[in-house]
Amino acid sequence: STKVNGHQVNGRTLIDTQNSSRALFWLFFATITLAILAVFNEVLVSWTSDKAFHPTTAEGAPSLAYFLKEHIFHELTPFIWGALGGCIYLSMRLYDIALNRAFDRTRFHGWVLRVLLASIIGAVTFYIINPDKVAPGISIEALAFLAGLGVKVVYGAFEKLIDTIVEKFNLDSLRRAPSDKAKVREYFALQLSDPKVANDPQKRDAIVSMMKELGVEA
């Protein structure tokens, strides 16, 4: 095997690269489907914002277009754009690998989970962050897409935020407390299992009394 632009190339990758389009079919299908849904949503928004559009039917019920826009796509938009960002990221990475004849079908796994994470993180980012304060003028679609495109970066930012909150409110001691108590319990249990201690009532009673004082159950 050899390396091309930092990618490992061998006989398997040369063969798999020739059939990479077949292996990536479902990823391409998901990307195209999400893109169609995103465009369809934009068409609905444009159509329903037209002055000639009436949100209700002749019978007074909400029109189908209005129902889809307000009650379906309004909630799904961040999920769709987040997943689309994940698909674009994977497509570009895998295209670069295939371009260097380094595509290995045995390593192509977990893409569904990656897209699912991108979809959820894209939506969560929108719901917990106020775009007007972080980046004024950015749309729901752009924020969700960028979050889906950089899942690792966004997830790392959330982890750092959690660490900051833990440090600020001194919650780290609470998080470590169960682990410390478990170690103390393990130590006392080890002492009580020692035949020299178990056969000595005075030592055994002293250890049990100490455990009670520390609030550690036997």
Side-chain angles (χ1 to χ4, degrees):
S1 63
T2 184
K3 281 191 174 183
V4 177
N5 295 328
H7 297 282
Q8 197 74 29
V9 179
N10 52 44
R12 177 189 290 276
T13 63
L14 292 175
I15 295 174
D16 286 350
T17 298
Q18 294 178 352
N19 300 317
S20 59
S21 58
R22 183 181 301 174
L24 299 176
F25 171 79
W26 289 110
L27 175 61
F28 294 155
F29 178 80
T31 304
I32 293 171
T33 301
L34 289 166
I36 291 174
L37 288 174
V39 172
F40 181 68
N41 179 51
E42 295 303 310
V43 171
L44 276 180
V45 172
S46 177
W47 183 20
T48 54
S49 62
D50 194 298
K51 293 181 179 180
F53 175 80
H54 200 279
T56 58
T57 61
E59 292 78 14
S63 65
L64 179 60
Y66 180 80
F67 174 79
L68 288 174
K69 171 183 172 292
E70 292 296 326
H71 301 287
I72 303 295
F73 280 95
H74 180 73
E75 304 299 332
L76 292 180
T77 292
F79 290 96
I80 292 173
W81 282 93
L84 185 58
C87 286
I88 295 299
Y89 169 81
L90 287 174
S91 298
M92 290 302 299
R93 283 293 302 271
L94 293 170
Y95 171 76
D96 183 52
I97 291 172
L99 196 63
N100 288 281
R101 305 292 180 183
F103 180 80
D104 188 344
R105 188 171 54 184
T106 61
R107 296 182 179 180
F108 178 59
H109 60 277
W111 73 268
V112 175
L113 180 59
R114 177 64 169 75
V115 173
L116 179 63
L117 287 173
S119 176
I120 294 174
I121 288 182
V124 168
T125 302
F126 167 72
Y127 285 126
I128 68 175
I129 293 178
N130 188 345
D132 294 332
K133 293 183 178 180
V134 178
I138 191 170
S139 63
I140 301 174
E141 295 85 353
L143 183 64
F145 179 81
L146 292 175
L149 196 65
V151 167
K152 290 183 178 180
V153 176
V154 177
Y155 182 79
F158 284 144
E159 278 193 325
K160 187 168 290 187
L161 177 61
I162 293 172
D163 290 339
T164 302
I165 294 173
V166 168
E167 183 179 353
K168 182 176 180 63
F169 293 97
N170 196 25
L171 300 176
D172 197 45
S173 58
L174 297 177
R175 188 168 58 185
R176 290 201 305 261
S179 176
D180 293 341
K181 186 172 288 188
K183 290 180 180 179
V184 172
R185 186 186 300 111
E186 183 180 352
Y187 172 78
F188 282 125
L190 185 63
Q191 292 297 317
L192 290 173
S193 64
D194 189 344
K196 294 181 180 180
V197 176
N199 296 328
D200 190 334
Q202 188 175 359
K203 290 183 179 179
R204 187 178 64 249
D205 292 340
I207 291 177
V208 171
S209 177
M210 190 179 301
M211 292 175 67
K212 290 181 179 179
E213 291 178 3
L214 295 174
V216 178
E217 298 179 358

